[in-house]
Amino acid sequence: MRVLGIETSCDETGIALFDSEHGLLADALFSQIDMHVEHGGVVPELASRDHVRRLLPLIDQVLLEAGLKAREVDAIAYTAGPGLVGALMVGASTAHGLAWAWQVPVLGVHHMEGHLLAPMLEEERPEFPFVALLVSGGHTQLVAVHALGDYTLLGESVDDAAGEAFDKAARMLSLPYPGGPHIARLAEQGDPTRFRFPRPMTDRPGLDFSFSGLKTHTLTTIKALESEGTLDDQTRADVARAFEEAVADTLVIKCRRALEQSGLKRLVVAGGVSANQRLRQRLDAALEKMGARAFYPRGRFCTDNGAMIAYVGTQRLLAGERDGRTMLATPRWPLSELAPPAHVQK
């Protein structure tokens, strides 16, 4: 089965073609970062309009790269949520319109399930069951993954997610949006011994996350340095280093705890923050000591992309799932509401 995947949940337009027998055939991505950076964050109306502008040319590009005609596409999968409702509606309406024109089935899939299974696009893929750390945008979650669609939420952010905390810390340091990559680059120049920021909620049991206190501590530190007149370039790098290490250590501690409690030895790390190299280094070192292993998507599949949507759509379409006549655009959609396809239900 050849499935066209469409991702338009936020500020990236992602298109991909996945073949159930031959794997990923082609993919393309357009990022709107340059458009949103002057606003310091995503402007929903601008995002929706740009998806309208980019979608069909990207679909043509992917079909050309795959060497396929539209009539050779067997089904379409699109992101139905969670995300910005306007952006979701652009992808959903395009998917349903093309499915009607091409006379093929269409299916809306869960954006976070896409991230969750993005490492399945790699040659070395994890086997079920495993624990997954999802760190994407406004989501920071630990999930026990038993099979496709069979997920148990172990812990989640109770306030700011890790990605949101990176963006807010970047603004405090006068760095552009999105914050994660800019914090990481600045932190490379930082002194790891100058500041030590708190590792929130690691001194108590449980697997939930909270980064609002770390955000406040960062702001308080910066304000104090400004009032002293000592917030020079090197000090900004030192603060970035302390912040990044605090986030990485917090995520590592919680992941290690989740593996210990579940008895599992495989960890999937996915979402935009999973591209952070300090986090990967800390996780790999911690898991090696436990006899466990981490799996990551390649760099371009850490952020939103069409390939992960095409992959998840393929698995569920093969199991017989289909949309009805109504397109789906669900801005709030808990991962816990998903169910396994019929052929893997218990």
Side-chain angles (χ1 to χ4, degrees):
M1 175 181 278
R2 298 190 186 106
V3 177
L4 177 72
I6 297 175
E7 157 61 27
T8 62
S9 66
C10 190
D11 60 345
E12 274 113 5
T13 311
I15 304 296
L17 270 167
F18 186 85
D19 188 305
S20 57
E21 294 184 5
H22 302 288
L24 186 64
L25 302 179
D27 70 286
L29 181 75
F30 181 85
S31 173
Q32 302 174 2
I33 286 177
D34 291 343
M35 179 176 64
H36 295 294
V37 67
E38 62 182 288
H39 305 286
V42 177
V43 180
E45 179 63 23
L46 295 180
S48 301
R49 290 174 180 268
D50 203 63
H51 287 309
V52 172
R53 185 180 302 115
R54 308 291 176 183
L55 259 179
L56 293 181
L58 283 175
I59 291 172
D60 288 341
Q61 176 185 330
V62 166
L63 285 169
L64 182 63
E65 290 180 4
L68 296 177
K69 303 294 185 183
R71 64 176 179 273
E72 296 176 282
V73 174
D74 299 309
I76 301 174
Y78 66 95
T79 300
L84 302 175
V85 66
L88 293 170
M89 289 180 67
V90 173
S93 58
T94 300
H96 272 259
L98 290 176
W100 180 84
W102 296 348
Q103 293 296 290
V104 296
V106 59
L107 178 66
V109 303
H110 197 289
H111 177 76
M112 296 307 294
E113 186 173 36
H115 278 302
L116 185 74
L117 299 180
M120 297 298 189
L121 293 162
E122 306 304 323
E123 287 188 11
E124 291 189 73
R125 62 188 68 180
E127 296 180 359
F128 297 116
F130 54 80
V131 170
L133 171 67
L134 296 178
V135 274
S136 173
H139 302 270
T140 301
Q141 298 176 318
L142 278 166
V143 182
V145 180
H146 311 290
L148 175 67
D150 188 2
Y151 311 131
T152 302
L153 180 65
L154 302 176
E156 61 184 338
S157 50
V158 297
D159 42 54
D160 286 359
E164 293 172 321
F166 268 109
D167 288 340
K168 292 175 181 177
R171 284 199 292 272
M172 297 174 200
L173 291 167
S174 302
L175 297 173
Y177 169 87
H182 294 286
I183 289 276
R185 280 193 288 271
L186 184 59
E188 287 302 313
Q189 311 304 318
D191 178 356
T193 65
R194 183 172 179 187
F195 300 105
R196 178 175 174 81
F197 285 5
R199 277 60 172 161
M201 294 183 68
T202 58
D203 58 349
R204 66 188 76 174
L207 296 172
D208 285 336
F209 300 91
S210 170
F211 291 102
S212 64
L214 175 60
K215 176 193 67 178
T216 302
H217 183 89
T218 304
L219 179 61
T220 301
T221 301
I222 290 172
K223 292 294 185 184
L225 292 165
E226 286 176 336
S227 67
E228 297 167 2
T230 57
L231 189 62
D232 55 18
D233 288 344
Q234 181 59 54
T235 301
R236 290 172 66 248
D238 297 341
V239 170
R241 179 66 176 262
F243 175 84
E244 184 188 43
E245 292 203 347
V247 174
D249 283 351
T250 300
L251 295 174
V252 169
I253 290 167
K254 296 286 185 170
C255 287
R256 191 175 61 219
R257 189 178 296 174
L259 290 170
E260 290 170 348
Q261 292 181 7
S262 67
L264 297 173
K265 295 295 185 181
R266 290 180 291 272
L267 175 75
V268 158
V269 189
V273 180
S274 71
N276 183 278
Q277 292 303 304
R278 199 172 310 282
L279 172 61
R280 291 192 178 202
Q281 292 165 6
R282 297 282 174 90
L283 274 173
D284 288 342
L287 267 59
E288 183 178 6
K289 293 178 181 178
M290 300 175 61
R293 181 183 174 187
F295 295 83
Y296 311 93
R298 71 194 77 170
R300 74 176 192 270
F301 294 158
C302 290
T303 55
D304 297 349
N305 63 88
M308 67 185 192
I309 302 304
Y311 176 82
V312 171
T314 299
Q315 309 313 308
R316 289 186 172 273
L317 284 157
L318 286 171
E321 294 190 7
R322 306 285 189 274
D323 275 5
R325 292 182 177 273
T326 304
M327 69 178 191
L328 303 176
T330 309
R332 295 184 182 277
W333 188 4
L335 191 65
S336 58
E337 292 182 2
L338 287 180
H343 78 294
V344 297
Q345 285 185 353
K346 296 179 179 178

